[in-house]
């Protein structure tokens, strides 16, 4: 039998551990949200199964969308133990930067079958998103 000489930290090659932590943290964010943009509006669609419409609060400020809410257990289970408990109970809150400023006065929302859809008209739909800067 032969022994392998200990090389300390040289055992592992230099890996580039460039973790994208914001992307990783969004994987567990609740509620899960899709944001789409058209010429005239920004639409947010959020999954909120098991949430009552009265327990949802939506705020829009400039180019930030905020969704708050709460879920609660339906009944207290006595004399039972859980085999698997994955459902989430409690409050949640998401703040999402939007691609452009939206008109909060004309923003509408509907909640159907656990899906929240928020339609936010753009404040300045014709305003260019940026411009090329010439170097002098």
């Amino acid at each position: 039998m032969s022994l392998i000489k200990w090389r300390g930290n040289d055992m592992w090659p230099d890996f580039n551990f460039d973790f994208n932590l914001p992307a990783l943290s969004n994987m567990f964010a609740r509620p899960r949200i899709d944001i789409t943009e058209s010429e005239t509006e920004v639409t947010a669609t959020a999954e909120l199964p098991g949430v009552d419409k009265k327990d949802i609060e939506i705020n829009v400020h400039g180019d930030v969308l905020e969704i708050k809410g709460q879920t609660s257990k339906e009944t207290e289970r006595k004399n039972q133990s859980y085999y698997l408990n994955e459902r989430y109970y409690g409050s949640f809150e998401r703040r999402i930067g939007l691609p452009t400023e939206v008109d909060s006065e004309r923003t509408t929302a509907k909640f159907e079958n656990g899906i929240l859809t928020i339609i936010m008209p753009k404040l300045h739909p014709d305003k260019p998103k940026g411009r090329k800067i010439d170097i002098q």
Side-chain angles (χ1 to χ4, degrees):
M1 176 169 115
S2 64
L3 296 175
I4 299 173
K5 182 179 176 182
W6 172 256
R7 293 182 293 165
N9 289 337
D10 293 340
M11 272 182 65
W12 299 99
D14 290 331
F15 289 111
N16 182 8
F17 290 106
D18 184 20
F19 291 114
N20 186 349
L21 294 179
L24 184 61
S25 66
N26 282 341
M27 188 169 67
F28 302 107
R30 186 176 185 313
R32 295 180 184 266
I33 298 174
D34 291 337
I35 304 282
T36 58
E37 179 182 16
S38 71
E39 294 287 325
T40 59
E41 64 190 23
V42 177
T43 302
T45 307
E47 295 177 341
L48 296 169
V51 179
D52 195 310
K53 181 168 84 170
K54 67 178 177 52
D55 294 328
I56 302 169
E57 180 183 329
I58 304 165
N59 296 301
V60 177
H61 305 281
D63 64 347
V64 176
L65 170 65
E66 178 182 62
I67 301 174
K68 298 179 186 179
Q70 182 158 340
T71 58
S72 56
K73 288 189 178 184
E74 297 161 2
T75 59
E76 183 75 24
R77 295 183 181 188
K78 296 188 181 209
N79 301 325
Q80 287 185 330
S81 59
Y82 282 96
Y83 174 72
L84 182 63
N85 187 12
E86 293 182 339
R87 293 173 53 196
Y88 173 83
Y89 300 102
S91 62
F92 58 86
E93 183 175 334
R94 292 281 311 267
R95 283 187 185 94
I96 300 163
L98 301 172
T100 187
E101 283 190 83
V102 295
D103 187 349
S104 61
E105 296 297 319
R106 298 185 320 157
T107 294
T108 60
K110 71 176 184 175
F111 186 62
E112 192 173 305
N113 296 326
I115 303 294
L116 175 66
T117 304
I118 306 165
I119 299 172
M120 301 164 279
K122 290 182 178 180
L123 199 55
H124 307 288
D126 298 331
K127 186 177 176 182
K129 293 182 182 180
R131 67 180 183 91
K132 181 180 177 184
I133 307 299
D134 292 328
I135 301 172
Q136 297 181 12

